[in-house]
Each structure stands twice: as structure tokens, then as C-alpha cells.
Amino acid sequence: MPSYLLTVGMEVHVELETKTKIFCGCPNDPFESQPNSHVCPVCYGLPGALPLLNQEAVAMTVKLGRALKGVVAEETFWARKNYFYPDLPKGYQISQSTKPLVEKASVMIDGESHLINRIHLEEDAGKLIHSADGKSSLVNFNRAGVPLVEIVTEPDFHTPEAAKRFCQELQRIVRTLKISAADMEKGKMRCEANISVSTTDQLGVKVEVKNINSFRAVEKAIKYEYDRQIAALEAGGKIIQETRNWDDPKGKTVAMRTKETSADYRYFPEPDLPTVEIAEEIGGEIQLPEEKRAKLVEIGLPKELIHPIVDKNGFETVVKIAESSKEKAIEAGKTLVAIPEFLLLNEHDQIVFLALRGANGWSKETSAELIHKTITEKQKIEEVSKKFEHTTDLSSEVAEVIKEQAKAVADYKAGKEPLFNFLVGQVMAKTHGRANISAVREELTKQLG
Ligand code: ZN
Ligand code: MN
């Protein structure tokens, strides 16, 4: 048997979390609300209803494009993608065709670059709910008109794992940019894979697999298609260009329809919306997960901790601690990954507990217990925090800490500078982590001075 090279391109749809829908003022809340409660003539596609563009959706897409170093169009237009389906009352989807908002972007994962062909913006359709007996279907239009960003990669992946890793990284990125929670189980992020196999340097006939609803399924569906296509070719058959559905319970792909080409959609410019000019200033500095990981490598954190620290929101804490000691930062990273309760704390609380633990030599269990107690005492914390949200006068708390921690204060004054952070941690603990940390530093410097 010749060796077959797998090639995969991904198409990922992500729902943007704007306040309102993309072409009308209805709330963008398709999940928690009563069916058909967030709808209007635009959502229903009633004759004469006119779309009005939501700038926030465009800004979010441009933000993503700039973060991924893509080429952002200076000007773009909308296109009608025509097809019939009961969840699409207009009979067309407003999307983008020849001039997407973003082209030629890329995603770096652990030093490896993956190319993105285009990122465009479009509207989501409604949702069909089929009755258990298969005799009737209901439609909910709350999702109709939710802004949807579509990310299309180059045929850039040669293993199922690489394709899965890309989807996971994309989820991290949109979460970092705060444009979508991208939960796959809620359908806020939906993956499709274009899969082919070949024994030459020419790409084989591609098969599109839809309805992949988890990261695990991305890997399984691609693996299944790879095996299926090789078996078909080895048996003397041909691969036909088609769309297949991933049946997760059965663990296989099932033929849906022979593949439509873009000509079948009869794209034409949307006459009810003007062209869009993109402002220069959208975007700004955002640290992507890859950049955070590179920073942790630089600090010298062990390889196996790097992904968990970034994924579990420990990055800021570790970097802050590294400013005074790399060893302590590595220790902090280990603790953050080992104690899941840390994930519920904000950066300041994390530092407080790490400082307490380091200073007292407490075991991880003791720290975890302490954190648990803190979380269950949330009510009390809220009361205390109210006080510290509205005051910058920390003189009595700082004075108490100086009195209680006489030895640490003496050591600090004798030149053990890192103890300053410990004292900050003590004051923060007194205020349940709610005081402004620079105000604490200022007051401590003043009283220790
Ligand atoms: Zn509406
Ligand atoms: Mn699409």
C-alpha cells in the first residue's frame, strides 16, 4: 500500500458576542431566552424590512484579523448567498464574497505557523428543533442575525491532532480578545473540516465534514475520513467531492449531499447595505496566548506547566512574581496548576495566597483549605470589599500588619527586599484582596520609610 498524505483545511464559525444582532436592534441572546422572543421584521425576513449594520460586529472581526496579523480590507461590501432552508426566511444569507474583511492571517502555536486564507463576517441562521417522533419541526429565530465570523484556513494540517490543536488555539484567541466565549457545546463555535488524501504532491478530492461539535470530534472525524478514503481508493474506488455529516454517537461520517460550488449560491452584492470603510484605529495591543507562552518559556518555567498556566489564568500572577524571583515564579506556577481552586481567584488573591504559603511553609492542602474557606465566605468578603472599594485609606490595616509581622519588617529593613511583597500580601489578605494594590504599596512604603 502506498503511503497516503492527509491534508486538512478547517472552516470555523464563531458567534460574536455583540449586544445586538448584526443587522437589527434585537438582543443577541440566542441561548437563555424564550424561543422567538428576540425577533423583528428583519430577523423574519419580512418584505420591505431593511438591514442596518452593527459596527461592533465589524470592529470585533477587525480586532481578530489584526491580532492574527492579517491584511484588513480598507473597504468591503456585503453579498447575498442564496439558498433555501427553513431556518433562513429571506432565502439568502448576508455574507461576504470576493472582498472578505480579512485575508492572509496566521495563527502561531508553539512556534508553528498555520495560515488562514480569509476571515469574513456574516449572519447566523435560526435554529430548527425536530420533534422526537420525526413528524414535525419547530423553528426558533432568536439566533437569526447573530453575527458570525467565519475563519477559513489554508489546507495546512496533516494530522488530526494538528487540526484539533488549531481549533483549541482559536478558541483561546477569541476568548483572549473577549469577542466570544466560543463554547462548542452551545454551538457558539462550530468546526468543519475539508479532508483529502493523496499519494502524490497534488491534493486529492476533498470531502467536507460538517457538524463537528467538540474538539475530540474534530480529531475523530478526520481520522475516520482518512481511513475511509484510503479504504475506498485501495478498493479501486474514487472519492467524490461531497458534504458529509459527522455522526458522533456512531463515530462515523455519513453522506449528506454532493458538494455545491460557490456558483450554486449565486452570490451577488447586497443592495440594501452600503460598502464599509474600516477605521485604522480598531485593534490595539493584545497579548495572544502564544506570546504569553513565549514569556513563560523565557522566565524558565518547565515545559509541561506552560500551557496549563496560560489556560488557567495564572499568567499575570506568575509574571508578576517573576519580577522579584524566578524561582518563586516557578514555584507559583506549580501551585497554580496543582490547586484548581486558584482558578477562581483574581490575580491579587492568587499572589496573596502564594505569599502566605511561601512565608509560612504551608502545605498545598492547607492553602487549598484556606482558599476554600475564603470562597465559601464570599458573603463576608463582599461586605469587606465594599469598604475597600470606596476607600484608599489603608493606614490602619498597614499599621496592623507592621505590628503583627515585626520579624518580617525587621528583616526587610535589614535588606531582605522581597519581604516587601510578602507584607503587601498580608495587607491584601486583610482586605480580602479587594484593596487597590498600588495604594497598599504606597501606604506600606510610607509607614516603613
Ligand atoms: Zn431583529
Ligand atoms: Mn459560513
Side-chain angles (χ1 to χ4, degrees):
M1 190 171 108
S3 82
Y4 288 89
L5 177 69
L6 168 74
T7 302
V8 181
M10 296 302 298
E11 286 178 30
V12 184
H13 286 88
V14 176
E15 285 185 345
L16 296 176
E17 282 165 19
T18 50
K19 283 180 214 66
T20 55
K21 292 185 183 182
I22 184 167
F23 296 125
C24 66
C26 292
N28 173 3
D29 175 25
F31 299 104
E32 310 299 338
S33 39
Q34 277 286 104
N36 298 310
S37 58
H38 298 320
V39 286
C40 72
V42 173
C43 298
Y44 280 139
L46 297 184
L50 288 172
L52 187 68
L53 178 63
N54 180 350
Q55 286 190 33
E56 198 188 2
V58 177
M60 284 180 173
T61 308
V62 171
K63 204 169 151 190
L64 175 64
R66 294 214 164 117
L68 301 183
K69 319 260 181 308
V71 180
V72 175
E74 281 169 28
E75 201 184 84
T76 188
F77 71 96
W78 304 96
R80 290 186 178 182
K81 181 181 180 181
N82 297 279
Y83 66 94
F84 172 77
Y85 206 66
D87 62 11
L88 188 73
K90 292 196 298 294
Y92 59 86
Q93 177 192 33
I94 302 178
S95 180
Q96 296 193 275
S97 55
T98 49
K99 254 193 192 177
L101 266 169
V102 182
E103 289 179 279
K104 296 191 180 70
S106 64
V107 170
M108 287 283 273
I109 312 169
D110 297 333
E112 203 180 312
S113 175
H114 294 289
L115 297 177
I116 290 171
N117 176 290
R118 58 184 279 149
I119 300 174
H120 72 250
L121 186 56
E122 58 191 27
E123 58 177 334
D124 208 346
K127 195 171 168 53
L128 287 174
I129 296 125
H130 307 289
S131 69
D133 62 10
K135 285 182 181 156
S136 61
S137 297
L138 298 168
V139 63
N140 179 358
F141 287 115
N142 283 348
R143 201 179 68 178
V146 166
L148 204 55
V149 70
E150 180 174 335
I151 299 118
V152 183
T153 77
E154 296 290 350
D156 207 50
F157 308 98
H158 298 289
T159 63
E161 298 74 34
K164 180 181 82 169
R165 219 175 327 124
F166 170 79
C167 296
Q168 289 172 322
E169 185 70 6
L170 199 57
Q171 184 186 59
R172 289 188 194 101
I173 290 167
V174 298
R175 286 179 176 178
T176 303
L177 297 173
K178 296 191 166 65
I179 60 177
S180 178
D183 302 307
M184 286 192 79
E185 67 279 8
K186 287 184 179 164
K188 289 188 178 189
M189 174 165 160
R190 314 197 277 267
C191 299
E192 293 161 24
N194 289 299
I195 305 159
S196 65
V197 300
S198 174
T199 55
T200 69
D201 55 6
Q202 298 275 42
L203 286 177
V205 176
K206 68 174 181 185
V207 168
E208 183 176 354
V209 178
K210 286 185 181 285
N211 290 320
I212 305 174
N213 297 325
S214 68
F215 292 127
R216 199 184 45 98
V218 170
E219 211 172 349
K220 282 173 76 180
I222 295 170
K223 175 85 178 66
Y224 178 88
E225 255 322 285
Y226 179 64
D227 293 339
R228 185 191 71 83
Q229 291 182 21
I230 291 173
L233 293 170
E234 284 295 304
K238 273 203 162 91
I239 303 301
I240 48 165
Q241 190 174 334
E242 62 180 348
T243 302
R244 298 176 71 89
N245 194 38
W246 172 245
D247 185 331
D248 201 52
K250 295 202 176 105
K252 60 186 209 170
T253 64
V254 184
M256 271 169 86
R257 56 174 183 258
T258 51
K259 176 71 185 167
E260 63 287 326
T261 65
S262 74
D264 294 328
Y265 290 119
R266 287 173 176 74
Y267 280 98
F268 66 84
E270 163 64 64
D272 293 336
L273 285 163
T275 55
V276 182
E277 282 172 45
I278 309 301
E280 275 300 322
E281 57 271 19
I282 301 169
E285 278 304 300
I286 285 142
Q287 210 169 16
L288 289 181
E290 177 78 356
E291 290 158 329
K292 293 182 179 173
R293 293 192 293 259
K295 176 79 186 165
L296 294 181
V297 170
E298 191 191 303
I299 292 172
L301 273 108
K303 203 164 165 264
E304 68 276 10
L305 291 179
I306 286 170
H307 271 271
I309 290 171
V310 173
D311 289 350
K312 294 175 175 185
N313 303 321
F315 174 77
E316 276 76 18
T317 300
V318 171
V319 168
K320 192 157 273 184
I321 293 170
E323 284 168 15
S324 50
S325 155
K326 285 194 177 185
E327 290 68 37
K328 274 254 186 284
I330 292 168
E331 187 58 29
K334 285 182 184 160
T335 311
L336 285 165
V337 174
I339 305 176
E341 279 82 355
F342 268 114
L343 316 183
L344 299 171
L345 302 177
N346 66 30
E347 182 199 331
H348 292 159
D349 290 333
Q350 287 179 348
I351 292 174
V352 169
F353 285 114
L354 288 166
L356 286 172
R357 177 173 178 261
N360 296 305
W362 285 341
S363 67
K364 282 177 184 170
E365 290 76 303
T366 312
S367 297
E369 205 180 295
L370 189 65
I371 296 161
H372 254 312
K373 221 173 112 202
T374 309
I375 293 162
T376 51
E377 282 180 0
K378 209 168 182 339
Q379 187 77 38
K380 205 173 123 200
I381 293 168
E382 288 308 315
E383 277 166 35
V384 179
S385 69
K386 268 197 196 87
K387 180 181 161 198
F388 289 103
E389 260 163 31
H390 300 293
T391 177
T392 46
D393 179 12
L394 296 155
S395 50
S396 62
E397 287 74 19
V398 168
E400 275 173 43
V401 166
I402 288 175
K403 212 166 131 192
E404 287 162 15
Q405 303 291 342
K407 169 133 177 32
V409 170
D411 288 350
Y412 168 75
K413 287 187 172 166
K416 273 184 113 181
E417 281 183 12
L419 280 169
F420 184 78
N421 284 332
F422 164 73
L423 294 169
V424 171
Q426 295 293 314
V427 180
M428 290 304 289
K430 267 196 195 300
T431 66
H432 293 282
R434 300 308 160 106
N436 179 312
I437 199 151
S438 18
V440 173
R441 288 177 170 277
E442 208 170 286
E443 183 64 30
L444 254 176
T445 312
K446 200 173 106 190
Q447 294 200 22
L448 287 169

